Amino acid sequence: MRMHLGSYGPATATGAVKLNRAASTRERVITFVTVCVPGLALLASVPYAIYFGIRPVSLVLLVVLYCVTIAGVGIGYHRLAAHQSFKASVATRVLLAVAGSLAAQGPVLHWASAHRHHHPTADRPDDFHSPKVSGPHSFGRVAGLFHAHVGWLFGAYTENGWVFRAPYADWTRYIPDLLKDRALCKVNKHYFDILAAGLLGPALVAGLITLDPLAAVDAFFWAGLVRIAIVQNCTWSVNSVCHVWGTRPFRARDLSANNALIALITFGEGWHNNHHAFPTSFRHGLRWWEFDLNAAIVLALARARLAWDLRQPSPEHRLELLAR
């Protein structure tokens, strides 16, 4: 998701909207940096690995932080903040939002507002990241996939072609409840601090473990920049791949599809048709064989009494929406 420098605390409706719109230019600059720099690191990772390899400590930190970040986006940003599919303690909400912030997809309030905008407009003209691209300047499916995957962060396709602008979702319309959550607003305010810690933390850990400055640089590259790029592309694939390829067992008003590969690498977010059919369900994998580690983590939190009021569709509701 794109960066947002707008309202950082419980604010009046006017203040939230004014700050949200005023941040548009800065958002594009920050988006360019936080998308392109990790992306370039990912491209450089092949020659880097050939010439320098990857140290074991960097590999361990990359895997651990990948898991933490993917779960943070899927559970903290998506299922909890955006959809309120369960309730959680203040400490749990904060930790999950912090984990999601490590993905460099923008602060939690911005992410949630953009996502709530997506659901009622999915694959329609107002959708920020639909792969359905039309108009005289369309390049068909390839352009649609690019737009849904990453292009939408910088602009949009219109009937007049490409328009370089930042998508805007009105906070007071889409996340009035979250603007009242002081814990999430606090995390939102310290987004860049969290992001910096996610980049520098692995370097510090590797340096302290090995007492080798080069190990710190290696960890910064792999567990910092490359990890962010991998997480970004995996989660962006839900917007692109899961609206083009996959199965659609449930009726939905859009092109959302279940894709097992994307579900595997995103800990369950790839069961996208299931999710669009039942957006407030804490489970996205609705059948026993549909891998959904994020749902298992939420269940574990519930058993520890850190989460409660877990929402999921009834068997009758599922039968009602089965595609015929």
Side-chain angles (χ1 to χ4, degrees):
M1 292 286 180
R2 137 183 92 85
M3 301 303 105
H4 179 38
L5 300 178
S7 176
Y8 282 142
T12 63
T14 302
V17 173
K18 183 178 179 180
L19 288 172
N20 195 354
R21 288 173 174 164
S24 178
T25 301
R26 289 175 294 170
E27 287 175 7
R28 289 199 296 269
V29 173
I30 296 169
T31 298
F32 183 83
V33 173
T34 54
V35 169
C36 294
V37 172
L40 290 173
L42 184 61
L43 290 175
S45 64
V46 173
Y48 184 104
I50 292 173
Y51 286 101
F52 303 107
I54 176 171
R55 298 173 186 242
V57 66
S58 296
L59 181 60
V60 170
L61 287 170
L62 188 158
V63 172
V64 170
L65 283 174
Y66 173 87
C67 294
V68 169
T69 311
I70 282 286
V73 174
I75 303 173
Y77 270 34
H78 190 199
R79 304 190 194 199
L80 181 55
H83 289 290
Q84 300 286 288
S85 62
F86 63 96
K87 296 178 182 177
S89 66
V90 173
T92 301
R93 296 201 307 274
V94 168
L95 288 174
L96 288 172
V98 167
S101 300
L102 298 175
Q105 294 185 10
V108 60
L109 297 186
H110 168 69
W111 199 103
S113 65
H115 189 75
R116 288 185 183 182
H117 175 279
H118 162 67
H119 268 263
T121 62
D123 294 317
R124 298 179 182 183
D126 290 339
D127 188 9
F128 289 153
H129 49 70
S130 173
K132 290 179 64 178
V133 175
S134 59
H137 300 281
S138 170
F139 294 100
R141 178 171 288 190
V142 173
L145 281 170
F146 174 79
H147 173 69
H149 194 75
V150 66
W152 73 278
L153 298 171
F154 302 97
Y157 284 98
T158 69
E159 60 182 10
N160 297 317
W162 177 262
V163 176
F164 187 71
R165 61 173 171 78
Y168 164 70
D170 186 344
W171 282 21
T172 58
R173 175 181 178 184
Y174 289 104
I175 56 168
D177 55 324
L178 300 184
L179 289 174
K180 300 174 184 177
D181 189 327
R182 292 187 176 274
L184 286 188
C185 288
K186 195 87 169 181
V187 175
N188 200 82
K189 179 179 180 180
H190 292 284
Y191 168 72
F192 290 109
D193 299 326
I194 298 166
L195 187 56
L199 286 168
L200 299 176
L204 179 61
V205 171
L208 290 175
I209 290 175
T210 64
L211 299 179
D212 182 356
L214 292 179
V217 173
D218 195 67
F220 174 82
F221 179 78
W222 289 106
L225 294 175
V226 173
R227 183 261 311 168
I228 286 176
I230 295 172
V231 168
Q232 286 180 340
N233 282 280
C234 288
T235 54
W236 291 342
S237 294
V238 177
N239 295 341
S240 55
V241 174
C242 290
H243 278 261
V244 176
W245 293 294
T247 61
R248 298 177 174 88
F250 295 102
R251 295 195 305 275
R253 296 178 301 175
D254 49 62
L255 300 176
S256 56
N258 290 343
N259 188 292
L261 176 59
I262 303 303
L264 180 65
I265 62 178
T266 59
F267 295 176
E269 301 304 294
W271 307 118
H272 204 48
N273 176 254
N274 296 355
H275 170 58
H276 272 248
F278 311 102
T280 60
S281 175
F282 87 94
R283 293 182 185 272
H284 291 188
L286 298 176
R287 290 167 285 193
W288 67 267
W289 50 267
E290 292 177 336
F291 172 78
D292 192 350
L293 182 58
N294 284 338
I297 294 172
V298 174
L299 283 171
L301 292 172
R303 293 191 184 99
R305 299 185 179 181
L306 297 173
W308 57 91
D309 290 351
L310 278 57
R311 305 169 68 181
Q312 59 183 317
S314 65
E316 294 76 18
H317 193 193
R318 289 169 57 179
L319 282 173
E320 182 183 343
L321 289 186
L322 275 177
R324 304 298 181 185

